[in-house]
Amino acid sequence: MLPPITTEPGTQLAALDDVAASAVHLRLLTDNMPALIAYYNVKDLRCQFANAAYAKTYGFDTQSIVGKNVREIIGEKAFRTIRPYIERAFAMERVSYERALVTPDGQDRIIEVNLIPHVGAEGAALGTFVMINDVTKFRLAESAVRESEERFGKFADASNEAIVFFEDGFVTDVNEAATRMARTAREKMLGCSVLDFIAPECRETVAHHIRSGYEQPYEGAVVRADGTIIAVELVGKAIMYKGKTLRMTIVRDIRDRKETEARIHFLAHHDPLTRLPNRAMLMECLHTLVESARRQSKQVAVLFVDLDNFKTVNDSLGHFAGDELLKRVAERLKHSVRSTDLVGRLGGDEFLLAMTDLNAPEEVVPAVEKIAELIKEPFSLEGEVFTVSCSIGISIFPKDADTPDMLIRNADAAMYFAKDRGRSNFQFFTSSLQQSAHHALALESGIRKAIKQVEFVLHYQPEVLAKTGAITSVEALVRWQHPDLGLLGPDKFIPLAESRGLIVPLGQWVINEAIRQAREWLNLGVRVPVAVNLSAVQFKQKGLVEDIAACLARHHLPGELLELELTESLFMEDVAAVTKTLNELKDLGVTLAMDDFGTGYSSLSYLKRYPIDKIKIDRSFIRDIPNDKDDIAITIAIINLAESLGLRVVAEGVETTEQAEFLEYHHCDYIQGYLISRPLPPAEILSWLRKRY
């Protein structure tokens, strides 16, 4: 603390003379200082001097304020407040205090007042110097910080997500959710290394992200006090907290999400009915088995198993009984082979088995006979006992083919040969069965001809709002008006078109025709977006965006009346290339939808990464609603996921009122399926649309 200002004996008059002589300089100096400065005598507390800022603050100027009593200047109420401080100053104490002040123009201010006693030669107080600083903005800032910290603390405690603060790797604070997640008391967490709460296998990753200041979400695992480990998502941020730079990490429990992802992953690679590997997974596994056999100079037998007269079971007992039969057949097949062998379902009543480690084709015969006998054992369904048989076709690697695809094709051809021989038997593939390959070539030639002669037509299936039934779009579905075989569905020619490189010209025709039709409807006063399926092969073609833009321009159709449906697997490839193409398509105004969502699952991250407008739940998840728990769980999870990401969601394959009511209840945006309408030719769908407009 600075000492009181004193005046030596005999120098007081000289000092005053000096002040008078330097009045101009003193006034210039004090009037240009930001502080408020004044001097009051001790006798009657009258102002002897005030700078311009001080005088103006109280509604005076530097002339009129001189000689005024402090009561007259600051008011009686304020004087009563500061009187104790004045008395302390005249008692030779340097005093500092803060108080509120309302300026003449009505502003509320907070001032810091310093009273500096002026002591005479005999040690008596002569007066006091007053120096005032406006500290309003500092106090408001401090208050804002306190309020912000208080709000932040309340928010952290109220959050259901764990929040951990740490400095130099050691925990400084946690919220209640963090203690619940760790299953320990707050006091036991404070001061501990943050890595103590991370599962060992994740510590290196977490430590690296802390050191590098990584601020994007990433997955890890937390170890609780009882030793259990839970999957979490972590997001770290550097923040200012209580005057220090700390790292704050938000920890989200993602166990439910991981379980849902695992379930979607399983269903994407397995048949939802039998739980056997599906076609995609079968191809992957068969490729591995073939490569292993190639290295070991072994043989692999591929068995194509098809139930005989399965349609009769469906027709007589119904689809539920048919599904139950397929599940029981799957169980028998699994128990008929070794654990190293492969069993899967291709679809319908077709199953595929692969038997490994064979030295000769004949070694597979006992196993095939065992399979046939097991299938023939009686089944009890719907209170009835009956038997079924199967036809089995066999191809051998490397004798009959050296690729998984050709092995399956040849086994399929052998199976049809077995059916031609009276069913309930097995046949090996032979060179005479090559005619099936000729059939495929003939079909390929027919597709090429059909493209040139425009034998394809589009049928349209409407999509409507789940709540109101209002039309939102129609999906264009290609059909082949075969000159000999009649109208063929896409399952009869699309797979071959894709495998033989014909899907691109066919897809170009579909896009052009759909856009042309939408323009024609628009001319007739029916404005409805048209959705077109875009194959992965077509999506990768150079010039795709330019071709679509040119087609839209040629037919003068606004981009918003075109919707492109893309397969899920497409989003899991070259991220940069896919993103570029999708953004260019969005620039055209078209809507982007992910078709058959859940069937090609790999990661959910692409839902946030790509400019997708909506997702379409595959019909395989809708088919058994509301009777299948897994389908219900997956469907609800997909709807909730889409809603959280701001995506519209469409349910495909809606065929019953119960399914529609379930979807509406769970906030599914749109529905599509036979309950609304089957795919219709252009004239019929136009009539249907006009009735709804």
Side-chain angles (χ1 to χ4, degrees):
M1 179 181 293
L2 295 175
I5 296 177
T6 59
T7 303
E8 294 297 328
T11 64
Q12 184 174 348
L13 291 177
L16 291 175
D17 289 341
D18 289 343
V19 170
S22 306
V24 173
H25 296 90
L26 178 62
R27 174 63 60 189
L28 180 64
L29 174 64
T30 57
D31 284 350
N32 284 280
M33 293 180 67
L36 281 62
I37 300 173
Y39 178 83
Y40 287 89
N41 64 21
V42 69
K43 180 178 180 182
D44 50 10
L45 296 179
R46 293 190 180 277
C47 179
Q48 303 295 306
F49 173 83
N51 70 349
Y54 186 95
K56 182 179 179 181
T57 298
Y58 292 104
F60 298 92
D61 57 33
T62 56
Q63 301 295 323
S64 61
I65 197 172
V66 174
K68 299 289 185 182
N69 186 279
V70 68
R71 281 188 175 88
E72 298 176 274
I73 295 172
I74 69 173
E76 183 63 34
K77 182 178 180 181
F79 176 74
R80 288 198 301 270
T81 301
I82 70 169
R83 183 169 186 170
Y85 302 117
I86 296 174
E87 292 173 350
R88 288 168 55 191
F90 288 155
M92 312 306 177
E93 179 183 349
R94 183 165 181 158
V95 180
S96 180
Y97 63 91
E98 290 183 12
R99 73 178 182 88
L101 171 70
V102 179
T103 62
D105 58 3
Q107 294 186 45
D108 292 321
R109 315 300 296 171
I110 300 174
I111 57 174
E112 179 188 65
V113 184
N114 293 279
L115 303 180
I116 306 169
H118 180 198
V119 182
E122 291 78 14
L126 301 177
T128 182
F129 293 94
V130 181
M131 182 175 292
I132 299 175
N133 293 298
D134 188 334
V135 295
T136 305
K137 64 179 180 179
F138 302 110
R139 297 301 174 257
L140 291 178
E142 291 173 355
S143 176
V145 169
R146 285 194 301 271
E147 291 176 0
S148 177
E149 290 181 349
E150 182 179 357
R151 285 196 303 270
F152 187 80
K154 290 180 178 179
F155 167 77
D157 287 338
S159 174
N160 289 325
E161 295 177 338
I163 302 176
V164 180
F165 301 90
F166 53 95
E167 183 179 14
D168 298 327
F170 293 94
V171 178
T172 59
D173 202 359
V174 296
N175 69 346
E176 292 183 10
T179 63
R180 291 194 299 270
M181 178 178 287
R183 290 187 176 173
T184 189
R186 176 176 179 274
E187 292 73 19
K188 293 184 178 180
M189 297 182 71
L190 300 183
C192 294
S193 169
V194 70
L195 296 180
D196 291 345
F197 303 97
I198 303 297
E201 64 271 19
C202 302
R203 286 174 184 167
E204 184 176 346
T205 298
V206 174
H208 171 74
H209 287 333
I210 292 174
R211 289 193 300 268
S212 64
Y214 188 71
E215 294 195 350
Q216 297 300 315
Y218 64 96
E219 293 185 2
V222 166
V223 58
R224 289 172 152 172
D226 59 7
T228 58
I229 294 177
I230 63 172
V232 296
E233 181 182 75
L234 303 101
V235 185
K237 301 288 182 182
I239 64 165
M240 289 298 297
Y241 186 65
K242 295 184 177 179
K244 295 182 178 181
T245 300
L246 305 179
R247 187 168 175 87
M248 176 189 74
T249 296
I250 299 173
V251 188
R252 301 185 179 97
D253 186 339
I254 59 171
R255 285 175 295 173
D256 290 343
R257 189 179 86 188
K258 297 297 285 186
E259 289 176 4
T260 299
E261 289 178 2
R263 187 175 296 168
I264 294 175
H265 186 271
F266 178 85
L267 292 176
H269 292 82
H270 292 77
D271 170 51
L273 178 65
T274 64
R275 305 292 179 176
L276 293 177
N278 60 14
R279 181 182 291 271
M281 188 172 182
L282 281 171
M283 294 300 292
E284 293 178 12
C285 295
L286 187 54
H287 177 79
T288 301
L289 294 178
V290 166
E291 290 304 311
S292 177
R294 196 191 309 275
R295 290 192 300 269
Q296 300 176 32
S297 299
K298 294 286 187 179
Q299 299 184 34
V300 176
V302 174
L303 283 59
F304 200 112
V305 180
D306 184 271
L307 298 182
D308 298 326
N309 300 314
F310 175 71
K311 186 175 184 297
T312 303
V313 177
N314 269 344
D315 292 344
S316 59
L317 299 180
H319 290 286
F320 288 110
D323 288 348
E324 183 62 28
L325 174 61
L326 291 173
K327 288 191 285 186
R328 295 193 190 181
V329 168
E331 287 298 317
R332 291 186 183 184
L333 289 175
K334 284 193 294 185
H335 289 96
S336 68
V337 296
R338 302 164 298 179
S339 60
T340 54
D341 296 330
L342 178 64
V343 182
R345 183 187 178 203
L346 292 171
D349 59 345
E350 297 175 340
F351 297 86
L352 189 79
L353 289 82
M355 306 188 71
T356 63
D357 201 29
L358 302 176
N359 294 304
E362 296 78 17
E363 294 179 11
V364 76
V365 172
V368 174
E369 292 176 338
K370 178 183 177 182
I371 291 170
E373 291 302 317
L374 280 174
I375 297 299
K376 285 182 180 179
E377 290 183 4
F379 291 92
S380 176
L381 288 173
E382 301 291 332
E384 296 187 23
V385 177
F386 60 93
T387 60
V388 296
S389 62
C390 63
S391 298
I392 304 174
I394 308 164
S395 65
I396 304 295
F397 168 84
K399 180 176 74 70
D400 299 324
D402 63 355
T403 65
D405 185 62
M406 286 306 301
L407 284 167
I408 293 175
R409 288 187 186 185
N410 291 343
D412 186 17
M415 182 273 295
Y416 277 106
F417 182 56
K419 284 190 178 292
D420 291 340
R421 296 289 296 269
R423 291 182 168 82
S424 190
N425 72 94
F426 64 89
Q427 296 291 329
F428 283 89
F429 177 79
T430 64
S431 57
S432 63
L433 297 176
Q434 290 290 348
Q435 59 184 352
S436 61
H438 293 301
H439 171 72
L441 287 174
L443 185 61
E444 177 184 349
S445 177
I447 294 174
R448 293 183 187 277
K449 179 182 176 183
I451 292 174
K452 290 181 181 179
Q453 298 185 0
V454 193
E455 294 176 358
F456 294 102
V457 296
L458 294 183
H459 286 191
Y460 299 88
Q461 186 174 38
E463 171 193 295
V464 301
L465 281 171
K467 286 187 177 181
T468 65
I471 303 164
T472 55
S473 66
V474 293
E475 180 180 359
L477 302 167
V478 66
R479 303 287 189 264
W480 183 4
Q481 191 65 59
H482 195 283
D484 300 319
L485 303 176
L487 193 66
L488 301 180
D491 57 310
K492 301 296 183 182
F493 58 89
I494 290 295
L496 184 65
E498 289 181 331
S499 65
R500 301 302 170 89
L502 299 174
I503 196 66
V504 172
L506 177 56
Q508 289 173 338
W509 178 86
V510 170
I511 289 177
N512 183 77
E513 176 61 15
I515 291 175
R516 186 204 64 78
Q517 185 65 76
R519 178 70 252 182
E520 180 179 310
W521 287 336
L522 190 58
N523 292 341
L524 296 173
V526 178
R527 182 184 179 89
V528 58
V530 177
V532 177
N533 289 279
L534 202 63
S535 74
V537 176
Q538 191 176 0
F539 183 85
K540 297 173 186 175
Q541 292 294 308
K542 290 184 178 180
L544 169 71
V545 178
E546 291 78 5
D547 289 346
I548 293 176
C551 193
L552 289 169
R554 183 165 59 251
H555 295 289
H556 305 287
L557 187 75
E560 60 266 24
L561 291 183
L562 177 64
E563 180 178 306
L564 297 177
E565 297 186 1
L566 311 166
T567 59
E568 187 176 4
S569 60
L570 182 150
F571 294 88
M572 303 168 195
E573 300 182 8
D574 187 338
V575 174
V578 172
T579 301
K580 181 176 181 295
T581 302
L582 292 177
N583 285 329
E584 290 174 351
L585 289 171
K586 288 295 294 180
D587 289 341
L588 298 179
V590 305
T591 298
L592 299 179
M594 182 183 298
D595 197 19
D596 300 333
F597 182 78
T599 59
Y601 172 82
S602 175
S603 170
L604 294 178
S605 62
Y606 55 76
L607 289 176
K608 298 185 291 185
R609 183 184 302 145
Y610 297 124
I612 305 164
D613 297 297
K614 65 182 183 181
I615 58 178
K616 302 188 75 172
I617 305 174
D618 187 66
R619 65 185 67 249
S620 63
F621 299 127
I622 305 299
R623 180 183 59 197
D624 294 327
I625 287 176
N627 300 313
D628 187 281
K629 293 189 297 183
D630 283 333
D631 286 345
I632 288 174
I634 295 301
T635 300
I636 293 174
I638 293 174
I639 293 171
N640 291 340
L641 176 65
E643 183 178 6
S644 68
L645 295 175
L647 300 175
R648 290 171 281 169
V649 60
V650 185
E652 298 180 298
V654 179
E655 298 184 0
T656 68
T657 303
E658 291 79 7
Q659 292 169 345
E661 290 175 347
F662 169 89
L663 293 165
E664 180 184 351
Y665 178 78
H666 289 285
H667 308 294
C668 179
D669 300 314
Y670 312 105
I671 59 175
Q672 180 181 5
Y674 275 39
L675 179 65
I676 308 303
S677 172
R678 63 182 177 84
L680 299 172
E684 292 184 35
I685 192 66
L686 177 59
S687 175
W688 191 93
L689 291 171
R690 281 176 163 167
K691 290 177 182 178
R692 293 297 187 97
Y693 263 77

